[in-house]
């Protein structure tokens, strides 16, 4: 889900005038489809002064494993974070640092993310259309990132071909492994009626995985 400017403003109104810092994780800021990313720190000077913005290069620039992240925060917060961080991790390698500089400051970075968004949009649209064509399964079309939350509520309480009752997302993800599909159970996010699927893989693998999920759904006894 992507918060609109109106929703962020309403949230900001609740937070204004209170002794509360805001930690805003904006790691997917460039991976949005047909909408605009807005940071809550943009909405007012007060919110700007109390926001700790967290970001990194792993998602938008496919630098997973290079472990380059950063924060933007009030000076006293940044100083305290630096003091703690220096005793926990250090020595980001020079190659990753130079690559990060190019990603964040040159046109090449934007060209790369624009290309990724176009590819992800194609994969997202295929995944959403396919899921919504499968019996007892459904999903909404996400506006950002590269995940789909698959609604499996209509499968809960039903039985597998072996007569096992599907009690929730943990059961269903476990049974999907027998069909060659790995998914994240929604209970990990407090949403047991869902599974999380990623489309940060090739379209061919997405098609194969969804065909296996369809086979699983069709094997469930009504």
């Amino acid at each position: 889900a992507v918060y609109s400017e109106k929703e962020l403003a309403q949230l900001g109104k609740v937070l204004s005038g209170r002794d509360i810092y805001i930690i805003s994780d904006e790691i997917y800021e460039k991976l949005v489809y047909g909408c605009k990313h807005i940071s809550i720190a943009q909405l007012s000077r007060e919110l700007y002064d109390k926001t700790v913005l967290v970001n990194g290069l792993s998602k938008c620039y496919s630098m997973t494993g290079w472990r380059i992240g950063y924060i933007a925060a009030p000076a006293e917060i940044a100083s305290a974070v630096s003091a703690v961080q220096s005793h926990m991790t250090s020595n980001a390698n020079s190659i990753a640092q130079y690559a990060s500089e190019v990603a964040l400051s040159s046109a090449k970075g934007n060209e790369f993310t624009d290309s990724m968004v176009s590819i992800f949009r194609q994969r997202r649209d295929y995944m959403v259309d396919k899921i919504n064509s499968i019996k007892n399964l459904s999903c909404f079309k996400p506006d950002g990132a590269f995940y789909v939350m698959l609604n499996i509520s209509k499968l809960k309480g039903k039985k597998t071909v072996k007569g096992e009752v599907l009690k929730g997302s943990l059961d269903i993800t476990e049974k999907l492994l027998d069909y060659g599909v790995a998914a994240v159970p929604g209970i990990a996010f407090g949403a047991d009626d869902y599974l999380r699927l990623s489309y940060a893989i090739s379209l061919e693998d997405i098609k194969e995985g969804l065909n296996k999920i369809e086979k699983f759904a069709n094997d469930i006894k009504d």
Side-chain angles (χ1 to χ4, degrees):
V2 177
Y3 284 134
S4 67
E5 184 173 1
K6 180 180 179 181
E7 289 168 328
L8 284 172
Q10 291 172 331
L11 182 58
K13 186 176 180 180
V14 173
L15 295 167
S16 294
R18 299 172 185 270
D19 187 20
I20 298 174
Y21 278 101
I22 302 163
I23 300 177
S24 183
D25 181 352
E26 302 183 19
I27 193 93
Y28 295 105
E29 63 169 326
K30 296 182 181 297
L31 300 181
V32 293
Y33 316 97
C35 57
K36 182 180 179 181
H37 167 264
I38 297 172
S39 171
I40 195 168
Q42 294 174 243
L43 301 184
S44 73
R45 181 70 203 194
E46 180 191 355
L47 293 172
Y48 177 91
D49 287 338
K50 63 167 54 180
T51 296
V52 178
L53 189 152
V54 180
N55 212 321
L57 285 296
S58 294
K59 306 297 183 182
C60 294
Y61 298 100
S62 290
M63 294 187 188
T64 306
W66 287 28
R67 318 319 296 164
I68 297 292
Y70 58 89
I71 66 166
E76 65 275 14
I77 297 294
S79 177
V81 169
S82 179
V84 173
Q85 185 268 343
S86 66
H87 293 286
M88 297 174 65
T89 61
S90 61
N91 301 321
N93 70 76
S94 60
I95 296 172
Q97 291 186 57
Y98 279 116
S100 299
E101 181 185 13
V102 172
L104 293 172
S105 63
S106 78
K108 293 180 180 179
N110 288 330
E111 290 170 4
F112 179 78
T113 54
D114 287 347
S115 174
M116 283 183 65
V117 168
S118 177
I119 294 170
F120 279 147
R121 186 194 298 270
Q122 178 187 8
R123 296 173 183 172
R124 177 202 64 170
D125 291 348
Y126 178 85
M127 180 175 278
V128 168
D129 290 344
K130 178 65 176 179
I131 287 171
N132 286 317
S133 74
I134 300 174
K135 181 180 69 173
N136 290 326
L137 298 180
S138 64
C139 70
F140 291 112
K141 182 176 286 187
D143 290 325
F146 42 69
Y147 308 104
V148 166
M149 297 302 288
L150 170 62
N151 189 323
I152 45 89
S153 59
K154 291 183 178 179
L155 295 181
K156 291 170 70 175
K158 297 184 183 298
K159 294 182 179 180
T160 68
V161 291
K162 298 179 181 179
E164 302 161 311
V165 177
L166 298 172
K167 298 178 181 179
S169 59
L170 280 170
D171 287 340
I172 291 174
T173 52
E174 183 179 343
K175 299 301 181 291
L176 277 172
L177 290 174
D178 295 334
Y179 287 74
V181 176
V184 178
I187 196 170
F189 310 103
D192 198 33
D193 284 345
Y194 296 85
L195 308 182
R196 191 181 77 171
L197 303 179
S198 169
Y199 50 89
I201 56 175
S202 71
L203 186 59
E204 290 72 22
D205 286 342
I206 289 170
K207 290 179 178 179
E208 181 180 355
L210 290 175
N211 286 339
K212 291 176 178 179
I213 289 175
E214 183 174 30
K215 175 67 166 59
F216 167 78
N218 289 335
D219 285 345
I220 300 302
K221 299 179 181 179
D222 290 323

